[in-house]
Amino acid sequence: MVVPASRAAPSTPLSGEPDPAYDVVVIGCGMAGAVAARQLAGHRVALLEARNRVGGRIYTAGEVEGLPQPIDLGGSMIHGFREGVPTAKLITHELGMDVHVPQGAKGLVYGPNGPLAEAEATSLFATSAQNAFTPPSGVPADASIASLLFPTLKSDPRLVALARTAEIGAGVELEGMSAKYAGFEQGFKGTDGFPEGGYGEVMKNLVADIKAAGGEVRLSVEVTEIEDLGAGKGVRVETKDGRTFTAKAVISTIPLAVLQHSPPTFQPPLSPLYTAAIERMRTGSLEKIVLSYPSAWWPSPDENGSFLLLPLHDPSVPLEEAKPASLHDLFSRTVIPVSSFQRIASTPHPTLLAYIGPAAARYIASYPADEVASAFHDYLVTRLSPSAAPPAPTVKLVTEWQRDPFSRGATSTPVPLTQSKDGERASPLDFVIVSRPTWDGRLGYAGEHTDLDNHGSVAGAAISGQREGTRVKELLERLAEQEANEQGKALL
């Protein structure tokens, strides 16, 4: 259900200048941009999206791809659904959508010799939790988590493999994560929920609200230049196809990697403080492999909601050093979580989804998607060892977020071991720096990489969009009040 909103009312022009076409231009119609635009209902808003679809790094595959039910290939879960994450309220209360929380699903852990017994797996996870990394006092600024953690775990390679599962959500190897700032973020954790219909349905409802309030959503519009026209004059936005948009304020939700590698031109240039922070930050790598079958062939499909495939080789050796000889060799050297929608979906269907972490994700990017999916199916059969030959998958999907020119990867990583040309090392402060507006508030920034505690998540994108939408709304109110005061003085 979409909450109806009134159409945007006429807005007061800026003092002494022609009325800009819009109050606000939002660059990017992913979660951050859509939430910001929805927050600005009642103002003239235009969302400019470079892709030919809304959603950004949210994409829900379904009927078009031949899947029996929707599956999110980008952002997928509501982390901390029952622990107060704001996206839960947005989705359930404001958009009136249902959320599915899987209950009672079991999971199997596969070691080199097959599945671990339940007691052994439980003991392994308990030991892993006891050895969770906590930064010691006085840790060197250039120390990685791997350099301090792995020596304490090498007696059991399975503990190293479990430690590496943290890389999947982070998008970067433990060798590249700062030990000093490990765990600095205080993001939402706990219950995981799945929006019914996927996040694509969330985006559809957000866009419907925006349009109902008079906002515009323009697709296939790539921004090439953003220029500040000065106080009282607004901001000008130029696009690749030669169009010009003007507004009193602009909110940019351009992803971090795009800002690093192919940003629009900013006039005047952004501050050295901002550009140095962007230089230090990193975008992670995470890809997903989806295999849908005519029937579920894996062990106890009505009970097991997940499989954790531990590596068959020493997990402390980075893939760059191991130099895998084939895709099968690559998978055998990688810890891979696999989810079964036969057990965890609200409407069960025989589909598996594998999360491919950073090093392996970069490796598979050089292979055709069909070859990757077929190789992973073969690897699954080898590891799960079914008693009979399983059916061939009817649908094979492999994400390519690293190749997408409008994302260039997954999401921002935890604090990396990097430094900018000015010699400053990366720190949590970078997330704060890139969230600060410039040009006297006329240019603001949203997106998951601008939220310190929730970066790398849909929640971070939504929270940042709400933050900037609220800030710009207050800015417009102040501008309108100033204009009214000036008009009042002119009448005296």
Side-chain angles (χ1 to χ4, degrees):
M1 181 183 70
V2 177
V3 180
S6 59
R7 193 168 182 81
S11 178
T12 307
L14 293 168
S15 176
E17 293 295 329
D19 190 4
Y22 299 96
D23 291 320
V24 186
V25 166
V26 180
I27 302 172
C29 192
M31 179 62 72
V35 169
R38 186 175 182 270
Q39 194 79 7
L40 288 159
H43 295 281
R44 292 172 300 172
V45 179
L47 279 94
L48 309 182
E49 171 54 51
R51 293 180 175 86
N52 62 359
R53 61 170 181 82
V54 302
R57 285 167 285 179
I58 285 172
Y59 182 74
T60 304
E63 259 184 64
V64 172
E65 291 80 10
L67 290 172
Q69 295 291 329
I71 291 181
D72 281 310
L73 302 183
S76 57
M77 286 180 276
I78 308 171
H79 301 299
F81 175 66
R82 290 175 176 155
E83 288 74 28
V85 66
T87 44
K89 180 181 178 183
L90 168 67
I91 292 169
T92 59
H93 290 69
E94 297 181 32
L95 299 180
M97 295 178 60
D98 292 328
V99 171
H100 172 63
V101 177
Q103 302 287 343
K106 295 182 179 180
L108 288 178
V109 179
Y110 278 76
N113 300 315
L116 275 60
E118 185 175 352
E120 185 180 7
T122 301
S123 174
L124 183 66
F125 280 114
T127 304
S128 177
Q130 291 169 4
N131 286 275
F133 182 74
T134 301
S137 58
V139 61
D142 61 351
S144 71
I145 293 177
S147 68
L148 300 182
L149 178 62
F150 285 178
T152 70
L153 303 178
K154 276 204 168 183
S155 59
D156 189 345
R158 298 175 305 173
L159 293 175
V160 177
L162 287 183
R164 284 208 184 274
T165 60
E167 299 174 348
I168 295 166
V172 65
E173 297 93 317
L174 294 175
E175 287 85 353
M177 278 193 240
S178 167
K180 181 176 182 178
Y181 297 113
F184 188 90
E185 304 92 338
Q186 300 296 314
F188 288 94
K189 300 173 184 176
T191 310
D192 287 334
F194 295 85
E196 291 285 8
Y199 267 111
E201 195 68 17
V202 176
M203 288 301 306
K204 177 182 174 182
N205 288 335
L206 287 172
V207 168
D209 278 4
I210 292 163
K211 290 181 176 180
E216 298 178 15
V217 178
R218 302 197 181 200
L219 303 179
S220 301
V221 179
E222 186 176 349
V223 171
T224 56
E225 184 175 349
I226 306 171
E227 181 185 7
D228 181 32
L229 302 177
K233 298 179 181 179
V235 180
R236 180 178 62 85
V237 175
E238 295 284 341
T239 67
K240 190 174 183 179
D241 59 4
R243 282 182 280 181
T244 300
F245 297 82
T246 54
K248 297 173 183 176
V250 167
I251 298 174
S252 168
T253 70
I254 299 171
L256 171 63
V258 178
L259 289 171
Q260 291 173 324
H261 300 289
S262 54
T265 300
F266 291 90
Q267 293 293 344
L270 301 178
S271 72
L273 183 68
Y274 179 92
T275 56
I278 289 290
E279 181 188 349
R280 290 187 293 268
M281 297 172 75
R282 287 292 176 268
T283 295
S285 301
L286 169 64
E287 303 292 0
K288 297 180 180 181
I289 300 174
V290 176
L291 301 173
S292 192
Y293 296 89
S295 59
W297 55 268
W298 43 93
S300 304
D302 294 329
E303 295 181 3
N304 293 317
S306 65
F307 305 93
L308 182 62
L309 308 179
L310 300 182
L312 303 179
H313 305 278
D314 183 358
S316 66
V317 179
L319 280 180
E320 284 75 6
E321 293 181 18
K323 295 181 170 49
S326 65
L327 284 168
H328 191 282
D329 188 27
L330 169 76
F331 296 138
S332 73
R333 296 179 181 277
T334 308
V335 58
I336 304 176
V338 182
S339 295
S340 168
F341 289 93
Q342 183 67 29
R343 177 60 184 83
I344 66 171
S346 57
T347 301
H349 54 103
T351 305
L352 298 175
L353 183 150
Y355 298 86
I356 307 300
R362 293 193 298 271
Y363 191 97
I364 67 173
S366 61
Y367 284 82
D370 190 71
E371 186 176 342
V372 172
S374 295
F376 187 69
H377 165 76
D378 293 342
Y379 178 70
L380 267 180
V381 174
T382 301
R383 293 298 301 269
L384 301 186
S385 301
S387 57
T394 53
V395 179
K396 297 183 289 187
L397 301 174
V398 180
T399 61
E400 297 181 332
W401 293 110
Q402 296 165 97
R403 295 180 184 175
D404 186 330
F406 303 121
S407 65
R408 291 178 169 265
T411 55
S412 59
T413 72
V415 177
L417 291 174
T418 57
Q419 61 183 48
S420 46
K421 294 184 184 71
D422 60 9
E424 287 290 326
R425 287 192 172 275
S427 80
L429 185 60
D430 292 334
F431 293 99
V432 178
I433 292 171
V434 301
S435 73
R436 296 290 174 85
T438 188
W439 299 345
D440 294 329
R442 292 184 292 278
L443 174 62
Y445 308 99
E448 53 81 19
H449 66 285
T450 70
D451 189 87
L452 169 59
D453 284 327
N454 299 281
H455 68 84
S457 69
V458 176
I463 291 169
S464 71
Q466 185 171 36
R467 179 197 72 223
E468 278 306 294
T470 300
R471 184 191 67 79
V472 171
K473 189 172 185 177
E474 292 171 352
L475 172 66
L476 295 176
E477 290 170 354
R478 289 197 301 273
L479 290 174
E481 185 177 344
Q482 291 170 10
E483 182 68 22
N485 290 338
E486 290 177 10
Q487 289 177 351
K489 291 178 183 177
L491 295 174
L492 295 177

